[in-house]
Amino acid sequence: MAISLNKSRTIIRKALAHGRETELKPLSVIVLDSGGHVIAFEREDGAAPGRFAIAHGKAFGSIMLGMAGTAQMKRAEDQAYFMAAVNGVYGGQVIPVPGGVLVRDKRGRIVGAVGVTGDTSDNDAAAALAGIEASGLTGEI
């Protein structure tokens, strides 16, 4: 199963709604498929223009490593050389912090990832999780 464009739009809409409801700074949200390709992206008014690359890096690392941002951050803290090597392999595209959330289907298979940026990393992850759950899928932060 893949994340459809319709589900991707739901994830983005609900993640942004969560941000507004909890008074977060302007967010940017990206949804990637299981191969790391962009399905959809939105940047709220007032969000910095460089947020696409940050959201992408959070989600891309989750897909390429098969571990969510929180686990990546722990790995970076414990084995900085490993994450530096990974970032070299992927051309500097991995941002190992919370806000990169793996997306699983009902069978537990990874079907994509969501990256959210704009507020604190933990708030970004909460917004991503809200969007993913609203779409009927499961998020792993």
Side-chain angles (χ1 to χ4, degrees), residues 40-64:
F41 170 79
E42 284 192 28
R43 180 176 61 89
E44 285 187 298
D45 293 342
R51 292 295 180 173
F52 174 87
I54 296 170
H56 183 268
K58 288 181 174 188
F60 188 76
S62 295
I63 284 294
M64 292 300 125

Side-chain angles (χ1 to χ4, degrees), residues 42-93:
E42 284 192 28
R43 180 176 61 89
E44 285 187 298
D45 293 342
R51 292 295 180 173
F52 174 87
I54 296 170
H56 183 268
K58 288 181 174 188
F60 188 76
S62 295
I63 284 294
M64 292 300 125
L65 296 172
M67 66 175 75
T70 302
Q72 289 178 62
M73 187 170 76
K74 173 88 170 95
R75 187 79 182 261
E77 290 168 349
D78 293 345
Q79 296 178 310
Y81 63 88
F82 173 77
M83 288 308 292
V86 164
N87 237 336
V89 168
Y90 292 117
Q93 294 184 69

Side-chain angles (χ1 to χ4, degrees), residues 14 18 22 27 30 35 42 44 96-97 101 109 113 124 126 135 137:
K14 296 298 186 175
H18 174 85
T22 55
L27 300 177
I30 196 165
E42 284 192 28
E44 285 187 298
V97 296
V101 181
R109 296 176 297 200
D124 293 344
S135 76
L137 296 167

